[in-house]
Amino acid sequence: VSLALKRRMIELGVDENKIQFIGNGVDVELFRLTDRTHARRALGLPLPEDGKILVSVASLREAKGQQHVINALSGIASKYPGLRLYLVGEGDYRKNLEHLVRQLSLQDRVFLVGNRNNDEIPLWFNAADVSILASSREGWPNVILESLACGTPVIGTPVGQIPEIISSDQLGIVAEQDPASLASAIEAALGRSWDRMALMNFAHSRPWATVALESLHYFNQMISNQAVVKKHALVPN
């Protein structure tokens, strides 16, 4: 699902001709732009005039990098009195993150809201000013296109397919997985206006139907190739 994984497979000795790259898509019916005020009210969050919101939708694991986002927030919190971070997801790293939040006295800024139904995730993306995925490794994370499909720019790390998805500074910011780089990216993202409709249109250009057609085309191609091989094998010398 990513060119980075393809390159790694080639490094491991797999024949490049036997690898087909087919990226993920997005549910264009579910993930759509809605009014930010409506989304915040639906979730019981502070309204836009009360401060900015960051959201990270990912399992709570060390590799997902939420600890770096929390440390980044700590470094810039004094500049943004109403800034809040919501971590949507669950995992075995939760206690570590809760401890870090207490250690940095960010209990009124960082909220671990646990798992949420998939139907609710678009509300979180629409409620946020910026979404963040600070992973140390990825393939093609679905949440990148899902956030963009809701008109919310993304801060991501340069791993997996993320740099290819966030291919323009009109879609988001690619930052290193460390608090200083993430803090700088957050400030940059919060300090500019984003064309939410353009973000949605970009993500909606790759619906899951497109992914299905690409997969179908590939499988049909493989079946045709196998048929040709068998036909030649049956021809007597």
Side-chain angles (χ1 to χ4, degrees), residues 46 54 63 78 105 110 125 129 137 172-173 181 194-195 221 225 230 233:
L54 310 174
S78 61
S105 301
V110 181
F125 283 132
D129 295 275
R137 59 180 181 272
I173 300 173
S181 296
W194 298 87
D195 186 340
Q221 186 180 48
N225 291 345
K230 288 181 179 179

Side-chain angles (χ1 to χ4, degrees), residues 31-88:
F31 293 93
R32 307 183 66 85
L33 185 156
T34 60
D35 179 68
R36 184 162 286 148
T37 298
H38 163 75
R40 292 196 182 186
R41 281 179 173 154
L43 294 170
L45 304 180
L47 297 181
E49 58 267 27
D50 296 324
K52 303 289 188 179
I53 284 180
L54 310 174
V55 66
S56 180
V57 179
S59 58
L60 304 184
R61 294 188 287 114
E62 186 174 8
K64 293 296 183 180
Q66 291 98 338
Q67 67 276 23
H68 302 297
V69 181
I70 293 171
N71 277 305
L73 177 63
S74 176
I76 62 174
S78 61
K79 301 179 184 180
Y80 302 91
L83 180 61
R84 295 173 175 84
L85 167 65
Y86 291 87
L87 304 181
V88 181

